[in-house]
């Protein structure tokens, strides 16, 4: 799976970025490479948090979990 970083100039020389496909994932940095790394870190945190929230929602319910593989 390929994601797209939207990058713009922020204040005081900072770059601000967002993942186009998951707009809630945002970060900032001084260089593009650092911003891309920060966005990936933010993505992992976002996904982890969403999983925890979903797990709470389904606590005590009988569910089926299946893996999905993104090619």
């Amino acid at each position: 799976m390929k994601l797209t970083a939207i990058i713009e100039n922020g204040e005081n020389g900072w770059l601000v970025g967002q993942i186009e496909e998951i707009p809630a994932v945002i970060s900032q940095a001084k260089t593009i490479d650092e911003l891309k790394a920060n966005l990936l870190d933010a993505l992992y945190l976002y996904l982890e948090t969403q999983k925890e929230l979903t797990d709470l929602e389904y606590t005590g319910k009988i569910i089926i979990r299946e893996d999905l593989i993104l090619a």
Side-chain angles (χ1 to χ4, degrees):
M1 177 179 207
K2 184 173 99 173
L3 300 174
T4 308
I6 298 173
I7 301 169
E8 63 182 335
N9 290 315
E11 296 179 12
N12 301 321
W14 286 87
L15 297 170
V16 178
Q18 178 179 38
I19 296 180
E20 183 174 29
E21 295 81 3
I22 309 170
V25 178
I26 57 175
S27 192
Q28 64 182 12
K30 288 286 189 175
T31 68
I32 289 178
D33 287 339
E34 182 183 6
L35 178 56
K36 288 166 64 176
N38 290 351
L39 283 170
L40 288 175
D41 288 343
L43 175 60
Y44 290 126
L45 289 171
Y46 173 81
L47 293 174
E48 183 178 309
T49 301
Q50 292 304 305
K51 182 184 181 313
E52 291 171 1
L53 292 172
T54 301
D55 286 347
L56 287 173
E57 183 178 331
Y58 286 96
T59 299
K61 296 180 181 179
I62 298 172
I63 61 170
I64 298 170
R65 293 183 190 273
E66 290 287 328
D67 289 338
L68 295 174
I69 306 300
L70 302 174

